[in-house]
Amino acid sequence: NWWTTRLASSRAPAWIMNGSQFFAGYIGKESFESDHPHDLAEVSKLLSGIDAPVLFGSGDVHYSEVMRIEKKKLGYETFELTSSSIHSATHPGMNDKKNPRRLKTTWKHNFMIVDSYPTMTGEIGFKTWAVGAGQRVQFQFEGRVRR
C-alpha cells in the first residue's frame, strides 16, 4: 500500500525495481509473472489506475534484456530493463528462448547503464547500454514511456 499510495499522489514518472524479473513468464520460473501471476495481475491493475507512468527495472543472474510490455498490461506501453550480474554464470542459449516482448538481449558478462529523464509532458525517457569487458557495448536501446 505504501508505494501505490506514493505513486498515486504524484503524476511524476517512476521506476519500480526488483531483484528478479517481473514479466519473464516465457522462462516458466523465477519471475513475478511465472511464480505469482495473480499477484502480478493485481499489481498491474493498481498501476493502470495511477496517472504516473512507470518503468520496470529488474535483475537476472544469467543475462540482460530489454522487454516491451504491451499496452494491455497497464493501459499504456512500458518497458522492463533487466541487468545481469557482471561476474556470474552466463546462459549462452538465452538468446534462443522465444520471447515476443524482447527487443534486446545479451548473455555475455555485462552490466547495464541507464540514463532516464522525465519530460515536461509527464513522460519518462531513457537510454540504456549493456556494457561488457573492455567497455564493449553489447547492446543499446532508447525508449520513452507515455501515459
Side-chain angles (χ1 to χ4, degrees), residues 5-95:
T5 301
R6 299 252 330 186
L7 282 173
S9 68
S10 172
R11 293 182 56 94
W15 281 87
I16 299 175
M17 304 184 99
N18 191 33
S20 58
Q21 289 184 294
F22 293 91
F23 295 97
Y26 71 97
I27 296 173
K29 61 182 180 177
E30 299 177 353
S31 74
F32 200 6
E33 189 172 48
S34 290
D35 298 340
H36 306 283
H38 299 296
D39 293 331
L40 180 60
E42 185 176 321
V43 168
S44 297
K45 184 177 178 181
L46 284 169
L47 292 172
S48 70
I50 293 172
D51 287 336
V54 298
L55 274 165
F56 295 92
S58 61
D60 187 89
V61 72
H62 302 301
Y63 61 95
S64 292
E65 74 178 349
V66 175
M67 288 188 280
R68 176 178 287 126
I69 308 306
E70 60 275 16
K71 185 177 180 176
K72 71 179 183 178
K73 293 292 182 185
L74 301 180
Y76 58 93
E77 183 179 275
T78 190
F79 299 89
E80 180 173 349
L81 309 181
T82 303
S83 180
S84 70
S85 172
I86 194 166
H87 57 76
S88 64
T90 59
H91 191 330
M94 196 63 227
N95 294 358

Coordinates of all heavy atoms in Angstrom, one line a residue, residues 5-95:
T5 N 0.3 4.2 -2.8 CA -0.2 5.4 -2.3 C 0.7 6.6 -2.8 O 0.3 7.6 -3.2 CB -0.3 5.4 -0.8 OG1 -1.2 4.4 -0.5 CG2 -0.8 6.8 -0.3
R6 N 2.0 6.3 -2.7 CA 3.0 7.3 -3.1 C 2.9 7.6 -4.6 O 3.0 8.8 -5.0 CB 4.4 6.9 -2.8 CG 4.7 6.7 -1.3 CD 5.5 7.7 -0.7 NE 6.5 8.3 -1.5 CZ 7.4 9.2 -1.0 NH1 7.5 9.4 0.3 NH2 8.3 9.7 -1.8
L7 N 2.8 6.6 -5.4 CA 2.7 6.7 -6.8 C 1.4 7.5 -7.2 O 1.4 8.3 -8.1 CB 2.7 5.4 -7.6 CG 4.1 4.7 -7.8 CD1 3.9 3.4 -8.3 CD2 5.0 5.6 -8.6
A8 N 0.3 7.1 -6.5 CA -1.0 7.7 -6.8 C -1.0 9.2 -6.4 O -1.8 10.0 -7.0 CB -2.1 7.0 -6.1
S9 N -0.2 9.6 -5.5 CA -0.2 11.0 -5.1 C 0.6 11.9 -6.0 O 0.7 13.1 -5.7 CB 0.2 11.1 -3.6 OG 1.6 10.8 -3.5
S10 N 1.2 11.4 -7.0 CA 2.1 12.2 -7.9 C 1.8 11.8 -9.3 O 1.5 10.6 -9.6 CB 3.5 11.9 -7.5 OG 4.4 12.5 -8.5
R11 N 2.0 12.7 -10.2 CA 2.0 12.4 -11.7 C 3.4 12.1 -12.2 O 3.5 11.9 -13.4 CB 1.3 13.5 -12.4 CG -0.2 13.6 -12.1 CD -0.8 14.7 -12.9 NE -0.7 14.5 -14.3 CZ -1.5 13.9 -15.1 NH1 -2.7 13.5 -14.6 NH2 -1.3 13.8 -16.4
A12 N 4.4 12.2 -11.4 CA 5.8 12.1 -11.8 C 6.1 10.6 -12.2 O 5.6 9.7 -11.5 CB 6.7 12.5 -10.7
P13 N 6.8 10.4 -13.3 CA 7.2 9.1 -13.7 C 8.0 8.4 -12.6 O 8.7 9.1 -11.9 CB 8.0 9.3 -15.0 CG 7.7 10.7 -15.4 CD 7.3 11.5 -14.2
A14 N 7.9 7.1 -12.6 CA 8.7 6.4 -11.6 C 9.2 5.1 -12.1 O 8.8 4.5 -13.1 CB 7.7 6.1 -10.4
W15 N 10.2 4.6 -11.4 CA 10.8 3.3 -11.6 C 10.3 2.3 -10.6 O 10.3 2.7 -9.4 CB 12.3 3.3 -11.5 CG 13.0 3.8 -12.7 CD1 13.3 5.1 -13.0 CD2 13.5 3.1 -13.8 NE1 13.9 5.2 -14.2 CE2 14.1 4.0 -14.7 CE3 13.6 1.7 -14.1 CZ2 14.7 3.6 -15.9 CZ3 14.2 1.3 -15.3 CH2 14.8 2.2 -16.2
I16 N 10.0 1.1 -10.9 CA 9.7 0.0 -9.9 C 10.8 -1.0 -10.2 O 10.9 -1.5 -11.3 CB 8.3 -0.5 -10.1 CG1 7.3 0.6 -9.9 CG2 8.1 -1.7 -9.2 CD1 5.9 0.1 -10.2
M17 N 11.6 -1.3 -9.1 CA 12.7 -2.2 -9.3 C 12.6 -3.4 -8.4 O 12.0 -3.4 -7.3 CB 14.0 -1.4 -9.0 CG 14.1 -0.2 -9.9 SD 15.6 0.7 -9.6 CE 16.5 0.0 -11.0
N18 N 13.1 -4.5 -8.9 CA 13.1 -5.8 -8.2 C 14.3 -6.6 -8.6 O 14.9 -6.4 -9.7 CB 11.8 -6.6 -8.7 CG 11.5 -7.8 -7.8 OD1 11.8 -7.8 -6.6 ND2 11.0 -8.8 -8.4
G19 N 14.8 -7.5 -7.7 CA 16.0 -8.3 -8.0 C 15.8 -9.4 -9.0 O 16.7 -9.8 -9.6
S20 N 14.5 -9.8 -9.2 CA 14.2 -10.7 -10.3 C 13.2 -10.1 -11.2 O 12.6 -9.1 -10.9 CB 13.7 -12.0 -9.7 OG 12.5 -11.8 -8.9
Q21 N 13.0 -10.8 -12.3 CA 12.2 -10.2 -13.4 C 10.7 -10.2 -13.0 O 10.2 -11.0 -12.3 CB 12.4 -10.9 -14.7 CG 13.8 -10.7 -15.3 CD 13.9 -11.3 -16.6 OE1 13.9 -12.5 -16.7 NE2 14.0 -10.5 -17.7
F22 N 10.0 -9.2 -13.6 CA 8.6 -9.0 -13.5 C 7.9 -9.9 -14.5 O 7.1 -10.7 -14.3 CB 8.1 -7.6 -13.6 CG 8.6 -6.7 -12.5 CD1 9.8 -6.0 -12.6 CD2 7.8 -6.5 -11.4 CE1 10.2 -5.1 -11.6 CE2 8.2 -5.6 -10.4 CZ 9.4 -5.0 -10.5
F23 N 8.2 -9.5 -15.8 CA 7.4 -10.1 -17.0 C 8.2 -11.1 -17.8 O 8.2 -11.0 -19.0 CB 7.0 -8.9 -17.9 CG 6.0 -8.0 -17.2 CD1 6.5 -6.8 -16.6 CD2 4.7 -8.2 -17.2 CE1 5.6 -5.9 -16.0 CE2 3.8 -7.4 -16.6 CZ 4.3 -6.2 -16.0
A24 N 8.8 -12.1 -17.1 CA 9.5 -13.1 -17.8 C 8.8 -14.5 -17.7 O 9.5 -15.5 -17.5 CB 11.0 -13.2 -17.2
G25 N 7.5 -14.5 -17.9 CA 6.8 -15.7 -17.9 C 7.2 -16.7 -18.9 O 7.0 -17.9 -18.8
Y26 N 7.9 -16.2 -20.0 CA 8.3 -17.1 -21.1 C 9.3 -18.1 -20.6 O 9.5 -19.2 -21.2 CB 8.9 -16.3 -22.2 CG 10.2 -15.7 -22.0 CD1 11.4 -16.3 -22.4 CD2 10.3 -14.4 -21.3 CE1 12.6 -15.7 -22.2 CE2 11.5 -13.8 -21.1 CZ 12.6 -14.4 -21.5 OH 13.9 -13.8 -21.3
I27 N 10.0 -17.8 -19.5 CA 11.0 -18.8 -18.9 C 10.4 -19.9 -18.2 O 10.8 -21.0 -18.1 CB 12.0 -18.0 -18.0 CG1 12.8 -17.0 -18.9 CG2 13.0 -19.0 -17.3 CD1 13.7 -16.1 -18.1
G28 N 9.2 -19.6 -17.5 CA 8.4 -20.6 -16.8 C 8.8 -20.7 -15.3 O 8.3 -21.6 -14.6
K29 N 9.7 -19.9 -14.9 CA 10.1 -19.9 -13.4 C 10.9 -18.6 -13.1 O 11.2 -17.9 -14.0 CB 11.0 -21.1 -13.1 CG 12.3 -21.1 -14.0 CD 13.2 -22.3 -13.7 CE 14.4 -22.3 -14.5 NZ 15.3 -23.3 -14.2
E30 N 11.0 -18.4 -11.8 CA 11.8 -17.3 -11.3 C 11.5 -15.9 -11.8 O 12.3 -15.1 -12.2 CB 13.3 -17.6 -11.6 CG 13.8 -18.8 -10.9 CD 15.3 -19.1 -11.2 OE1 15.9 -18.5 -12.1 OE2 15.8 -20.1 -10.6
S31 N 10.2 -15.6 -12.0 CA 9.7 -14.3 -12.3 C 8.4 -14.0 -11.6 O 7.7 -15.0 -11.3 CB 9.6 -14.0 -13.8 OG 8.5 -14.7 -14.3
F32 N 8.0 -12.8 -11.4 CA 6.7 -12.4 -10.9 C 5.6 -13.0 -11.7 O 4.7 -13.6 -11.2 CB 6.6 -10.9 -10.8 CG 5.6 -10.4 -9.8 CD1 4.9 -11.2 -8.9 CD2 5.4 -9.0 -9.8 CE1 4.0 -10.6 -8.1 CE2 4.5 -8.4 -8.9 CZ 3.8 -9.2 -8.1
E33 N 5.7 -12.9 -13.0 CA 4.7 -13.4 -13.9 C 4.6 -15.0 -13.8 O 3.4 -15.5 -13.9 CB 5.1 -13.0 -15.3 CG 4.0 -13.3 -16.4 CD 4.3 -12.7 -17.7 OE1 5.4 -12.9 -18.2 OE2 3.4 -12.0 -18.2
S34 N 5.7 -15.7 -13.7 CA 5.6 -17.2 -13.7 C 5.2 -17.7 -12.3 O 4.3 -18.5 -12.2 CB 7.0 -17.8 -14.0 OG 7.3 -17.6 -15.3
D35 N 5.8 -17.1 -11.2 CA 5.6 -17.6 -9.9 C 4.4 -17.1 -9.2 O 3.9 -17.7 -8.3 CB 6.8 -17.4 -9.1 CG 8.1 -18.1 -9.6 OD1 7.9 -19.1 -10.4 OD2 9.2 -17.7 -9.3
H36 N 3.9 -15.9 -9.5 CA 2.8 -15.2 -8.8 C 1.9 -14.5 -9.8 O 1.7 -13.3 -9.7 CB 3.3 -14.3 -7.8 CG 4.3 -14.9 -6.8 ND1 3.9 -15.8 -5.8 CD2 5.7 -14.9 -6.8 CE1 4.9 -16.2 -5.1 NE2 6.0 -15.7 -5.7
P37 N 1.3 -15.2 -10.8 CA 0.6 -14.5 -11.8 C -0.6 -13.7 -11.3 O -0.9 -12.6 -11.8 CB 0.1 -15.6 -12.8 CG 0.2 -16.9 -12.0 CD 1.3 -16.6 -11.0
H38 N -1.3 -14.2 -10.3 CA -2.5 -13.5 -9.8 C -2.0 -12.2 -9.0 O -2.7 -11.2 -9.2 CB -3.3 -14.4 -8.8 CG -3.8 -15.6 -9.5 ND1 -4.7 -15.6 -10.5 CD2 -3.5 -16.9 -9.3 CE1 -5.0 -16.8 -11.0 NE2 -4.2 -17.6 -10.2
D39 N -0.9 -12.3 -8.3 CA -0.4 -11.1 -7.7 C 0.1 -10.0 -8.7 O -0.2 -8.8 -8.5 CB 0.8 -11.4 -6.7 CG 0.3 -12.2 -5.5 OD1 -0.9 -12.1 -5.1 OD2 1.1 -13.0 -5.0
L40 N 0.7 -10.5 -9.8 CA 1.1 -9.5 -10.8 C -0.1 -8.9 -11.5 O -0.1 -7.7 -11.8 CB 2.0 -10.2 -11.9 CG 2.5 -9.3 -13.0 CD1 3.3 -8.2 -12.5 CD2 3.2 -10.1 -14.0
A41 N -1.1 -9.7 -11.7 CA -2.4 -9.1 -12.3 C -2.9 -8.0 -11.3 O -3.4 -7.0 -11.8 CB -3.4 -10.2 -12.5
E42 N -2.9 -8.3 -10.0 CA -3.4 -7.3 -9.1 C -2.6 -6.0 -9.1 O -3.1 -4.9 -9.1 CB -3.4 -7.9 -7.7 CG -4.1 -7.0 -6.6 CD -4.1 -7.7 -5.3 OE1 -4.4 -8.9 -5.2 OE2 -3.9 -7.0 -4.3
V43 N -1.2 -6.2 -9.1 CA -0.3 -5.0 -9.1 C -0.5 -4.3 -10.4 O -0.6 -3.0 -10.4 CB 1.1 -5.5 -8.9 CG1 2.1 -4.3 -9.3 CG2 1.4 -6.0 -7.5
S44 N -0.6 -5.0 -11.5 CA -0.8 -4.3 -12.8 C -2.1 -3.5 -12.8 O -2.2 -2.4 -13.4 CB -0.8 -5.4 -14.0 OG 0.4 -6.0 -14.1
K45 N -3.2 -4.1 -12.3 CA -4.5 -3.4 -12.2 C -4.3 -2.1 -11.3 O -4.8 -1.0 -11.7 CB -5.5 -4.3 -11.6 CG -6.9 -3.6 -11.6 CD -7.9 -4.6 -11.1 CE -9.3 -3.9 -11.0 NZ -10.3 -4.8 -10.5
L46 N -3.6 -2.2 -10.2 CA -3.4 -1.0 -9.4 C -2.6 0.1 -10.2 O -2.9 1.3 -10.2 CB -2.6 -1.3 -8.1 CG -3.3 -2.0 -7.0 CD1 -2.3 -2.6 -6.0 CD2 -4.3 -1.0 -6.4
L47 N -1.5 -0.4 -10.9 CA -0.7 0.6 -11.6 C -1.5 1.2 -12.8 O -1.2 2.4 -13.2 CB 0.6 -0.1 -12.1 CG 1.6 -0.5 -11.1 CD1 2.7 -1.4 -11.7 CD2 2.1 0.7 -10.4
S48 N -2.4 0.5 -13.4 CA -3.2 1.0 -14.5 C -4.1 2.2 -14.1 O -4.5 3.0 -14.9 CB -4.0 -0.1 -15.2 OG -5.0 -0.5 -14.4
G49 N -4.4 2.2 -12.8 CA -5.3 3.3 -12.3 C -4.5 4.5 -11.8 O -5.1 5.5 -11.3
I50 N -3.2 4.5 -11.9 CA -2.3 5.6 -11.4 C -1.9 6.5 -12.6 O -1.5 5.9 -13.7 CB -1.2 5.0 -10.6 CG1 -1.7 4.4 -9.4 CG2 -0.1 6.1 -10.3 CD1 -0.6 3.6 -8.6
D51 N -1.9 7.8 -12.4 CA -1.5 8.7 -13.5 C 0.0 8.6 -13.9 O 0.3 8.9 -15.0 CB -1.9 10.1 -13.2 CG -3.4 10.3 -13.3 OD1 -4.1 9.6 -14.0 OD2 -3.9 11.3 -12.6
A52 N 0.8 8.3 -12.9 CA 2.2 8.3 -13.2 C 2.6 7.1 -14.0 O 2.3 6.0 -13.7 CB 3.0 8.3 -11.8
P53 N 3.3 7.3 -15.1 CA 3.8 6.2 -15.9 C 5.0 5.6 -15.2 O 5.8 6.2 -14.4 CB 4.3 6.8 -17.2 CG 4.6 8.2 -16.9 CD 3.7 8.6 -15.7
V54 N 5.2 4.2 -15.3 CA 6.2 3.5 -14.7 C 7.1 2.7 -15.7 O 6.6 2.3 -16.7 CB 5.7 2.6 -13.5 CG1 5.0 3.3 -12.4 CG2 4.9 1.5 -14.1
L55 N 8.3 2.6 -15.3 CA 9.3 1.7 -16.0 C 9.7 0.6 -15.0 O 9.7 0.9 -13.8 CB 10.6 2.4 -16.4 CG 10.6 3.2 -17.7 CD1 11.7 4.1 -17.7 CD2 10.7 2.2 -18.8
F56 N 10.0 -0.6 -15.4 CA 10.4 -1.7 -14.5 C 11.9 -1.9 -14.7 O 12.4 -2.0 -15.8 CB 9.6 -2.9 -14.9 CG 8.1 -2.8 -14.6 CD1 7.2 -2.4 -15.6 CD2 7.6 -3.1 -13.4 CE1 5.9 -2.3 -15.4 CE2 6.2 -3.0 -13.1 CZ 5.4 -2.6 -14.1
G57 N 12.6 -2.1 -13.6 CA 14.0 -2.4 -13.6 C 14.1 -3.7 -12.8 O 13.5 -3.9 -11.7
S58 N 14.9 -4.7 -13.3 CA 15.0 -5.9 -12.7 C 16.4 -6.5 -12.9 O 17.2 -6.0 -13.6 CB 13.9 -6.9 -13.2 OG 14.1 -7.2 -14.5
G59 N 16.6 -7.6 -12.2 CA 17.9 -8.3 -12.4 C 17.7 -9.8 -12.7 O 16.7 -10.4 -12.4
D60 N 18.7 -10.3 -13.3 CA 18.8 -11.8 -13.5 C 20.3 -12.2 -13.5 O 21.1 -11.4 -13.9 CB 18.2 -12.2 -14.9 CG 18.1 -13.7 -15.0 OD1 17.1 -14.2 -14.6 OD2 19.1 -14.3 -15.5
V61 N 20.5 -13.3 -13.0 CA 21.9 -13.7 -12.8 C 22.6 -14.1 -14.1 O 23.8 -14.1 -14.2 CB 22.0 -14.9 -11.7 CG1 21.4 -16.2 -12.3 CG2 23.4 -15.1 -11.2
H62 N 21.8 -14.5 -15.2 CA 22.4 -15.0 -16.4 C 22.5 -14.1 -17.6 O 23.2 -14.4 -18.5 CB 21.7 -16.3 -16.8 CG 21.7 -17.3 -15.7 ND1 22.9 -17.9 -15.2 CD2 20.7 -17.9 -15.0 CE1 22.6 -18.8 -14.3 NE2 21.3 -18.8 -14.1
Y63 N 21.7 -13.1 -17.7 CA 21.6 -12.3 -18.9 C 20.9 -11.0 -18.7 O 20.3 -10.7 -17.6 CB 20.7 -13.1 -20.0 CG 19.3 -13.3 -19.6 CD1 18.3 -12.4 -19.9 CD2 19.0 -14.4 -18.8 CE1 17.0 -12.6 -19.5 CE2 17.7 -14.6 -18.3 CZ 16.7 -13.7 -18.7 OH 15.4 -13.9 -18.2
S64 N 21.1 -10.1 -19.6 CA 20.4 -8.8 -19.6 C 19.5 -8.7 -20.8 O 19.8 -9.3 -21.9 CB 21.4 -7.6 -19.8 OG 22.2 -7.5 -18.6
E65 N 18.4 -8.0 -20.7 CA 17.5 -7.8 -21.8 C 16.6 -6.6 -21.6 O 16.4 -6.1 -20.5 CB 16.6 -9.0 -22.1 CG 15.5 -9.3 -21.1 CD 14.7 -10.6 -21.5 OE1 14.9 -11.1 -22.6 OE2 13.9 -11.0 -20.6
V66 N 16.0 -6.1 -22.7 CA 15.0 -5.1 -22.7 C 13.8 -5.7 -23.3 O 13.8 -6.3 -24.3 CB 15.4 -3.9 -23.6 CG1 14.3 -2.8 -23.7 CG2 16.7 -3.2 -23.1
M67 N 12.7 -5.5 -22.5 CA 11.4 -6.1 -23.0 C 10.4 -4.9 -23.1 O 10.3 -4.0 -22.3 CB 10.8 -7.1 -22.0 CG 11.5 -8.4 -22.0 SD 10.6 -9.6 -21.0 CE 11.1 -9.1 -19.3
R68 N 9.6 -5.0 -24.2 CA 8.5 -4.0 -24.3 C 7.2 -4.7 -23.7 O 6.9 -5.8 -24.1 CB 8.2 -3.8 -25.8 CG 6.9 -2.9 -26.0 CD 6.7 -2.5 -27.4 NE 7.7 -1.6 -27.9 CZ 8.4 -1.8 -29.0 NH1 8.3 -2.9 -29.7 NH2 9.3 -0.9 -29.3
I69 N 6.7 -4.0 -22.7 CA 5.5 -4.6 -22.0 C 4.3 -4.0 -22.7 O 4.1 -2.7 -22.8 CB 5.5 -4.2 -20.5 CG1 6.9 -4.6 -19.9 CG2 4.3 -4.8 -19.8 CD1 7.3 -6.1 -20.1
E70 N 3.4 -4.8 -23.2 CA 2.3 -4.4 -24.0 C 1.3 -3.6 -23.3 O 1.1 -3.7 -22.0 CB 1.6 -5.7 -24.6 CG 1.1 -6.7 -23.6 CD 2.1 -7.7 -23.1 OE1 3.3 -7.5 -23.3 OE2 1.7 -8.7 -22.5
K71 N 0.6 -2.8 -24.0 CA -0.4 -1.8 -23.5 C -1.5 -2.5 -22.6 O -2.0 -1.9 -21.7 CB -1.1 -1.1 -24.7 CG -2.0 0.0 -24.3 CD -2.5 0.8 -25.5 CE -3.5 1.9 -25.0 NZ -3.9 2.7 -26.2
K72 N -1.9 -3.7 -23.0 CA -3.0 -4.3 -22.2 C -2.6 -4.6 -20.7 O -3.5 -4.8 -19.9 CB -3.4 -5.6 -22.9 CG -2.5 -6.8 -22.8 CD -3.0 -8.0 -23.5 CE -2.1 -9.2 -23.4 NZ -2.6 -10.4 -24.0
K73 N -1.4 -4.6 -20.4 CA -1.0 -4.8 -19.0 C -1.3 -3.7 -18.1 O -1.7 -3.9 -17.0 CB 0.5 -5.2 -18.9 CG 0.9 -6.5 -19.6 CD 0.3 -7.7 -18.8 CE 0.7 -9.0 -19.5 NZ 0.0 -10.1 -18.8
L74 N -0.9 -2.4 -18.5 CA -1.1 -1.2 -17.6 C -2.0 -0.2 -18.3 O -2.2 0.9 -17.6 CB 0.3 -0.6 -17.3 CG 1.3 -1.5 -16.6 CD1 2.6 -0.7 -16.4 CD2 0.7 -2.0 -15.3
G75 N -2.4 -0.4 -19.5 CA -3.2 0.7 -20.2 C -2.3 1.6 -21.0 O -2.7 2.5 -21.7
Y76 N -1.0 1.3 -21.0 CA 0.0 2.0 -21.9 C 1.2 1.1 -22.0 O 1.4 0.2 -21.2 CB 0.4 3.4 -21.3 CG 1.0 3.3 -19.9 CD1 2.4 3.2 -19.7 CD2 0.2 3.3 -18.7 CE1 2.9 3.1 -18.4 CE2 0.7 3.2 -17.5 CZ 2.0 3.1 -17.3 OH 2.6 3.0 -16.0
E77 N 1.9 1.3 -23.1 CA 3.1 0.5 -23.3 C 4.3 1.0 -22.4 O 4.5 2.2 -22.2 CB 3.5 0.7 -24.8 CG 4.7 -0.2 -25.2 CD 5.1 0.0 -26.6 OE1 4.4 -0.7 -27.4 OE2 5.9 0.9 -26.9
T78 N 5.0 0.1 -21.8 CA 6.2 0.4 -21.0 C 7.3 -0.6 -21.3 O 7.2 -1.4 -22.2 CB 5.8 0.5 -19.5 OG1 6.9 1.1 -18.8 CG2 5.4 -0.8 -18.9
F79 N 8.3 -0.6 -20.5 CA 9.4 -1.4 -20.7 C 9.9 -2.1 -19.4 O 9.7 -1.5 -18.3 CB 10.6 -0.7 -21.3 CG 10.3 -0.1 -22.6 CD1 9.8 1.2 -22.7 CD2 10.5 -0.8 -23.8 CE1 9.4 1.8 -23.9 CE2 10.2 -0.2 -25.0 CZ 9.7 1.0 -25.1
E80 N 10.6 -3.2 -19.5 CA 11.3 -3.8 -18.4 C 12.8 -3.9 -18.8 O 13.0 -4.5 -19.8 CB 10.8 -5.1 -18.0 CG 11.5 -5.7 -16.8 CD 10.9 -7.0 -16.3 OE1 9.8 -7.4 -16.6 OE2 11.6 -7.7 -15.5
L81 N 13.6 -3.3 -18.0 CA 15.1 -3.4 -18.3 C 15.7 -4.3 -17.3 O 15.6 -4.1 -16.1 CB 15.7 -2.0 -18.2 CG 15.1 -0.9 -18.9 CD1 15.9 0.4 -18.7 CD2 15.0 -1.2 -20.4
T82 N 16.3 -5.4 -17.7 CA 16.9 -6.4 -16.9 C 18.4 -6.4 -17.0 O 18.9 -6.6 -18.1 CB 16.3 -7.8 -17.2 OG1 14.9 -7.8 -17.1 CG2 16.9 -8.9 -16.3
S83 N 19.1 -6.3 -15.9 CA 20.5 -6.3 -15.9 C 21.0 -7.6 -15.3 O 20.5 -8.0 -14.3 CB 21.1 -5.1 -15.1 OG 22.5 -5.2 -15.2
S84 N 22.0 -8.2 -15.9 CA 22.6 -9.4 -15.3 C 23.7 -8.9 -14.4 O 24.0 -7.7 -14.2 CB 23.3 -10.2 -16.4 OG 24.4 -9.6 -17.0
S85 N 24.3 -9.9 -13.7 CA 25.5 -9.6 -12.9 C 26.7 -9.7 -13.7 O 26.8 -10.6 -14.6 CB 25.5 -10.7 -11.8 OG 26.7 -10.6 -11.1
I86 N 27.7 -8.8 -13.5 CA 28.9 -8.8 -14.4 C 29.8 -10.0 -14.1 O 30.6 -10.3 -14.9 CB 29.6 -7.5 -14.2 CG1 30.7 -7.3 -15.3 CG2 30.2 -7.4 -12.8 CD1 31.2 -6.0 -15.4
H87 N 29.6 -10.7 -13.0 CA 30.5 -11.7 -12.6 C 29.9 -13.2 -12.5 O 30.6 -14.1 -12.2 CB 31.1 -11.4 -11.2 CG 30.1 -11.3 -10.2 ND1 29.4 -12.3 -9.6 CD2 29.5 -10.1 -9.6 CE1 28.5 -11.9 -8.7 NE2 28.6 -10.6 -8.7
S88 N 28.7 -13.3 -12.8 CA 28.0 -14.6 -12.6 C 28.1 -15.5 -13.8 O 28.6 -15.2 -14.9 CB 26.6 -14.4 -12.2 OG 25.9 -13.8 -13.2
A89 N 27.5 -16.7 -13.7 CA 27.5 -17.7 -14.8 C 26.6 -17.1 -15.9 O 25.6 -16.5 -15.6 CB 26.9 -19.0 -14.3
T90 N 27.0 -17.4 -17.1 CA 26.3 -16.9 -18.3 C 25.3 -18.0 -18.7 O 25.5 -19.2 -18.3 CB 27.2 -16.5 -19.4 OG1 28.0 -17.6 -19.8 CG2 28.1 -15.3 -19.0
H91 N 24.4 -17.7 -19.6 CA 23.5 -18.6 -20.2 C 23.5 -18.5 -21.7 O 22.6 -17.8 -22.2 CB 22.1 -18.3 -19.6 CG 21.1 -19.4 -19.8 ND1 21.0 -20.2 -20.9 CD2 20.0 -19.7 -19.1 CE1 20.0 -21.0 -20.8 NE2 19.3 -20.7 -19.7
P92 N 24.4 -19.1 -22.4 CA 24.5 -18.9 -23.8 C 23.3 -19.2 -24.7 O 23.1 -18.5 -25.7 CB 25.7 -19.8 -24.2 CG 26.5 -20.0 -23.0 CD 25.5 -19.9 -21.9
G93 N 22.4 -20.0 -24.2 CA 21.2 -20.3 -25.0 C 20.1 -19.3 -24.8 O 19.0 -19.5 -25.4
M94 N 20.3 -18.3 -23.9 CA 19.2 -17.4 -23.6 C 18.6 -16.7 -24.8 O 17.4 -16.5 -24.9 CB 19.7 -16.4 -22.6 CG 18.6 -15.7 -21.9 SD 17.6 -16.8 -20.9 CE 16.0 -16.3 -21.4
N95 N 19.5 -16.3 -25.7 CA 19.0 -15.6 -26.9 C 18.1 -16.5 -27.8 O 17.3 -15.9 -28.6 CB 20.2 -15.1 -27.8 CG 21.0 -14.1 -27.1 OD1 20.7 -13.7 -25.9 ND2 22.1 -13.7 -27.7

